[in-house]
Amino acid sequence: MTDSPAPAGVFISFEGGDGAGKSTQVRRLADWFAARGREVVVTFEPGDTALGAQLRTLVQHGEDLDPRTEALLFAADRAHHVTTVIRPALARGAVVITDRYLDSSVAYQGSGRALGAEEVERLSLWATQGLLPALTVLLDLDPVIGAQRITRSLDRIERAGDEFHRAVRDAFLARAGVDETERWLVLDATRTPDELHGAITARVEQILAVASAAGSGADDDAPRDAVVVEHTEVRP
Ligand code: TYD
């Protein structure tokens, strides 16, 4: 009898404005996967590597940065994060759940800082060599409510003002609305944590079922492809 094959890696990101409750839902989804026997890597951007922690300090608490410098620092953090944490974990069949990923750059730097969504997306896809999640959960929240939920002192980006945060929210919603890969799940972040968790796991179960049906005819010994979206049209 052969051992059952290693499961395919699964890549999931959470997005939304500050104070939307992403970290709670990330933790609950990680526990859900762990209870099903999966290796789960919970991670975040910016800053979940030694280099990233330094970049995080610079963007959140350093001197004023011009928008392009800010976008490049987030892209550098992401490139390093993908190469050293995310891709290796997916390759060994883990579930990777990240609190923020490339869509944050498109919304915050592309729209909030007005650099242009397309340019920032191109930069981000170049940094990640086209790696996109299979599922991106957007916890959508009015930024005024988000700001009320933050009790600690605000960082450089959180202090950017109402107009900035409204532009960020609109950018996330617009991006999810024109999604061609169906990777987005948009949820109203004012729903209860239990309701949000239920909606997220329902969608995850669908994705896992589709992936498992796609892999069921395959050679059991062959490595499974990770459940991700590889964006192939990457123009530096
Ligand atoms: P986050 O760690 O989610 O904030 P906190 O832990 O303070 O709640 O993100 C840090 C800030 O960086 C947040 O305001 C969003 C911003 N950000 C960008 O502007 N661009 C990016 O690409 C990313 C990943 C984050």
Side-chain angles (χ1 to χ4, degrees):
M1 208 167 97
T2 54
D3 289 341
S4 54
V10 183
F11 185 26
I12 297 172
S13 64
F14 279 73
E15 298 285 4
D18 302 288
K22 294 184 299 301
S23 44
T24 304
Q25 291 303 324
V26 165
R27 253 195 327 273
R28 290 193 60 172
L29 184 59
D31 291 346
W32 184 89
F33 271 111
R36 281 154 186 78
R38 297 292 305 253
E39 179 197 349
V40 188
V41 173
V42 172
T43 183
F44 61 90
E45 294 187 359
D48 196 18
T49 59
L51 171 70
Q54 291 182 309
L55 295 172
R56 182 182 173 96
T57 305
L58 293 175
V59 286
Q60 285 191 294
H61 306 290
E63 62 190 276
D64 270 353
L65 298 173
D66 121 274
R68 283 169 193 270
T69 310
E70 185 178 284
L72 287 164
L73 290 175
F74 281 115
D77 169 64
R78 183 161 306 122
H80 189 62
H81 188 212
V82 165
T83 341
T84 62
V85 177
I86 299 176
R87 283 198 191 270
L90 291 173
R92 62 173 190 269
V95 176
V96 177
I97 306 176
T98 183
D99 187 338
R100 295 195 186 279
Y101 188 60
L102 134 180
D103 301 293
S104 276
S105 280
V106 178
Y108 281 81
Q109 281 65 55
S111 291
R113 301 290 192 218
L115 286 175
E118 279 181 24
E119 274 204 317
V120 173
E121 178 175 35
R122 255 200 315 274
L123 169 71
S124 306
L125 286 169
W126 181 79
T128 63
Q129 296 185 277
L131 182 71
L132 286 172
L135 171 65
T136 297
V137 179
L138 173 60
L139 296 181
D140 175 56
L141 186 66
D142 180 336
V144 173
I145 302 177
Q148 286 165 357
R149 287 183 178 183
I150 301 174
T151 47
R152 52 177 169 67
S153 63
L154 300 183
D155 65 40
R156 204 176 58 78
I157 293 175
E158 287 161 348
R159 284 195 305 268
D162 292 351
E163 201 184 321
F164 174 95
H165 289 285
R166 268 199 303 274
V168 167
R169 181 196 195 186
D170 291 347
F172 275 130
L173 287 172
R175 200 162 158 69
V178 297
D179 173 34
E180 286 166 6
T181 61
E182 297 182 357
R183 74 179 161 98
W184 289 86
L185 173 64
V186 181
L187 296 172
D188 173 353
T190 61
R191 291 168 66 185
T192 67
D194 282 350
E195 283 172 356
L196 293 170
H197 178 66
I200 293 165
T201 51
R203 179 66 172 267
V204 166
E205 276 176 334
Q206 279 173 6
I207 291 173
L208 295 179
V210 170
S212 138
S216 63
D219 175 358
D220 272 356
D221 294 329
R224 300 291 172 97
D225 286 338
V227 185
V228 299
V229 176
E230 289 282 352
H231 193 286
T232 47
E233 288 168 33
V234 184
R235 293 185 304 276

